Amino acid sequence: MSDETGTPDTSAGSAGPAAQGDGAAQGGGPRPEPLRFFGTSWVDHDNGYAARRAAVAVGSLAAAAVSCLVLRFAYEGIRIADTGSFVTVLVVAMFAICSALAFRNTWEGFGKRHDPQRQAGLRGLLAIGFVGSLLAYFFRSLTEAPGEKLHREEYEKAREAHERRTTRRTGSPSKKKRRR
C-alpha cells in the first residue's frame, strides 16, 4: 500500500474520519486512498465523479494530441537537418516502441502495484513514451477512474479485515464449557 510507494499513509488500511461517512466503524477504520484528480469520490461515485472522469478523458486525449503535434515538429526538424533515413527511422521506431511499452506499463499499473525499483529503472523509457501513457490514461478513464479497480480491491480487503477484527463475540467467555 502506501508504504511501498513512499506516499503519505492515507491508504485503505489507515483509520480516520474520512471513512466514517462511507459505512466504516465510528471508532475508526479503513480510509480510502485518494486518486489523482478524483480524491476519494471514486468510493461512492459522488462529488462530481462523472464530470471528473469526462474531464480526465478529454484532458488526457488533448494532451496526447498536443504531444503528437510536438513530436511531428521534432520529426520535421530531423528531416530538415538531413541526417539520413537511418536516423529518421531509428527515432520514429524509438518513439513508437517506447510509447507501446509505456502504454502497457501504465495499463498494467491500473490493476496491480508496480515494484518501485523497477519503475525507477523504467523512468527514462516512460518519459520517451509519454504518448502511450497518456493514451492509456484516456482509455481507462472511459470506463472508470484510472486505478479505481486496484484501489477498490485494496479498500474492500481492508474493510473486511477491519470488520473481522472489530466484530464482537456473542456470549461470555467465562460461561463457556471447559474441555477436560
Side-chain angles (χ1 to χ4, degrees):
M1 295 221 218
S2 291
D3 292 340
E4 296 172 4
T5 60
T7 58
D9 190 17
T10 58
S11 62
S14 60
Q20 293 176 4
D22 57 22
Q26 289 293 339
R31 191 170 53 191
E33 187 173 352
L35 290 174
R36 181 182 294 151
F37 305 123
F38 294 92
T40 56
S41 66
W42 60 267
V43 176
D44 295 322
H45 293 187
D46 58 355
N47 296 332
Y49 172 81
R52 290 177 191 214
R53 251 189 51 208
V56 165
V58 168
S60 60
L61 186 61
V66 169
S67 300
C68 287
L69 183 64
V70 170
L71 289 177
R72 171 78 176 153
F73 289 142
Y75 172 78
E76 289 296 323
I78 291 172
R79 209 182 69 166
I80 291 170
D82 196 28
T83 57
S85 63
F86 177 73
V87 173
T88 304
V89 168
L90 194 62
V91 168
V92 169
M94 174 192 65
F95 275 107
I97 292 169
C98 288
S99 290
L101 292 173
F103 180 92
R104 181 174 160 259
N105 186 59
T106 304
W107 192 264
E108 287 176 352
F110 296 141
K112 65 175 182 153
R113 296 226 183 233
H114 287 299
D115 177 30
Q117 293 175 341
R118 180 178 178 267
Q119 287 299 102
L122 292 175
R123 188 171 293 140
L125 181 130
L126 296 175
I128 293 170
F130 60 99
V131 175
S133 293
L134 290 170
L135 290 175
Y137 216 77
F138 166 71
F139 287 120
R140 180 58 81 161
S141 64
L142 293 176
T143 57
E144 67 176 8
E148 178 180 346
K149 180 181 176 185
L150 171 67
H151 285 79
R152 188 169 302 281
E153 288 172 359
E154 291 175 348
Y155 180 58
E156 291 299 322
K157 284 181 186 175
R159 283 182 63 186
E160 289 171 10
H162 178 73
E163 287 294 321
R164 283 194 305 271
R165 285 192 311 267
T166 58
T167 52
R168 305 275 182 204
R169 291 185 296 208
T170 58
S172 173
S174 62
K175 294 181 180 178
K176 194 186 222 187
K177 291 184 180 180
R178 304 234 178 202
R179 292 184 184 177
R180 290 183 192 214

